[in-house]
Amino acid sequence: MLAAQAISQSADDPLSGLVVRDIPAPSPKPGWTLVRVMATSLNMHDLWTLRGVGHPPERLPIVLGCDAAGYDADGNEVIVHPVIADPDAGGGDETLDPNRALMSEQFDGTFAEFLAVPTRNLVPKPAWLSFDEAACLPVAWTTAYRMLFTKAGIRPGDRVLVQGAGGGVASAAIKLAAAAGAVVYATSRSVEKRAEALTWGADIALPTGNRLPEKVDVVIETVGAATWEHSLKSLRPGGAIVVAGATSGAHPPADLTRIFYLQQRILGSTGCTRSELVAMLRMMETTGVRPVIDRSLPLSDIHKGFQLMIDGALTGKVVVHPPAAMR
């Protein structure tokens, strides 16, 4: 089968370690099943692996990719929940299992014609959702859902700031928060992305770092160092910043005096549970919200998609189609 593998890592030239080539199809072990991948999508996690961040080199080569939608062995349309873990080991939450792994961390990922995955990780794909839309959900959209509803517990009327409009998690957070009745502020350095954010449901879209009209209850933070000071200053006393990424740097000044004096909360969030994915699908069906897709590419052109991600030239997700999806 055709697959995109990481064979080496480079902080300066990450795509030099990405190859598209034929490899043997996986053979599922007991409790696992085979999925024919119809659509997958790119995530920053894949670039971090290629840069050597959080992924030991001894696990190379490995098939990259965290998102997938396709057909199971019985021909059912499915979405693949990307967190491979034991809920019991996490006290009922598989994201808290100390041995959890995202697809492509310990096991081959989704940039391939076929994928082996624990049977528990399969979720029926609703008929109202296309394969391309479904492939955008497992990482970016569920991350945003968990940040907003499980961690922050937003309610209608809450004020929510989403930093870095344009990325997969940020676009999902804007749409989901707006659908839940929140007042949404979005920031971006790009005029075009700010305009897009308004079409997704943001009430106001501002240049990165600009003062907001009011303090917010919740900040959705995936940018990191470049926006951290602005996030803290934009947050009301007792409000919460939910952090699920740090693409611009992981070590900004903490400003502990502000945090303790204003009793601000900093909440970490990683991945999602299978039940959260199912709950999000119900919300999407009820509200009609759908993912933002920038473009679709064949697996053979995956380098182009990653280069656009590196250049910051995307608004929404890049969907990738393996050859199996064309048959």
Side-chain angles (χ1 to χ4, degrees):
M1 68 172 185
L2 197 67
Q5 287 185 311
I7 62 170
S8 64
Q9 296 168 314
S10 170
D12 298 323
D13 187 13
L15 299 188
S16 64
L18 178 64
V19 298
V20 180
R21 61 186 181 184
D22 282 310
I23 64 171
S27 298
K29 57 188 177 182
W32 290 50
T33 191
L34 194 68
V35 174
R36 178 187 172 196
V37 179
M38 297 299 291
T40 179
S41 68
L42 309 189
N43 287 287
M44 282 301 301
H45 184 275
D46 307 305
L47 275 179
W48 293 128
T49 297
L50 289 166
R51 286 174 170 147
V53 179
H55 191 100
E58 57 267 23
R59 289 186 188 162
L60 301 181
I62 195 165
V63 178
L64 292 180
C66 311
D67 292 329
Y71 293 99
D72 68 10
D74 297 320
N76 301 304
E77 296 184 354
V78 295
I79 304 172
V80 177
H81 172 53
V83 180
I84 299 175
D86 178 5
D88 290 338
D93 182 337
E94 59 260 43
T95 69
L96 299 179
D97 176 0
N99 296 314
R100 75 179 188 274
L102 197 64
M103 295 298 306
S104 79
E105 290 183 342
Q106 297 179 19
F107 306 97
D108 278 336
T110 60
F111 295 159
E113 295 185 77
F114 295 94
L115 166 70
V117 66
T119 303
R120 178 190 179 274
N121 285 61
L122 300 185
V123 173
K125 182 185 81 65
W128 47 263
L129 199 63
S130 72
F131 280 114
D132 282 17
E133 291 169 333
C136 298
L137 304 181
V139 172
W141 271 65
T142 57
T143 294
Y145 182 90
R146 182 178 175 89
M147 293 173 80
L148 288 166
F149 301 106
T150 304
K151 292 292 184 174
I154 70 163
R155 298 168 296 183
D158 278 354
R159 271 57 179 165
V160 177
L161 167 61
V162 180
Q163 299 280 23
V169 175
S171 64
I174 291 168
K175 285 200 161 197
L176 289 169
V183 176
V184 182
Y185 298 103
T187 68
S188 175
R189 292 173 296 179
S190 164
V191 173
E192 293 78 12
K193 291 179 181 179
R194 294 198 298 270
E196 286 287 341
L198 295 174
T199 70
W200 302 335
D203 293 273
I204 297 176
L206 298 167
T208 302
N210 273 32
R211 186 184 182 94
L212 304 185
E214 61 182 331
K215 300 290 186 179
V216 298
D217 303 289
V218 174
V219 179
I220 299 301
E221 177 63 82
T222 60
V223 179
T227 54
W228 186 251
E229 182 180 2
H230 182 250
S231 292
L232 287 172
K233 290 182 177 179
S234 300
L235 190 64
R236 68 163 174 81
I241 299 177
V242 189
V243 185
T247 56
S248 67
H251 302 288
D255 199 354
L256 294 179
T257 303
R258 175 183 293 273
I259 291 170
F260 78 72
Y261 187 74
L262 297 180
Q263 302 184 66
Q264 295 173 333
R265 293 170 292 140
I266 312 299
L267 306 174
S269 188
T270 297
C272 79
T273 65
R274 185 185 186 280
S275 61
E276 285 168 336
L277 171 54
V278 173
M280 185 185 72
L281 290 172
R282 291 199 299 266
M283 178 182 177
M284 292 177 68
E285 182 177 20
T286 301
T287 61
V289 294
R290 297 292 184 270
V292 179
I293 297 175
D294 186 285
R295 69 192 67 201
S296 298
L297 298 170
L299 182 59
S300 57
D301 286 349
I302 196 169
H303 289 79
K304 177 181 178 181
F306 276 123
Q307 189 59 58
L308 291 167
M309 182 180 286
I310 291 170
D311 295 340
L314 296 172
T315 303
K317 297 285 284 181
V318 174
V319 173
V320 172
H321 294 136
M326 311 298 183
R327 297 171 189 161

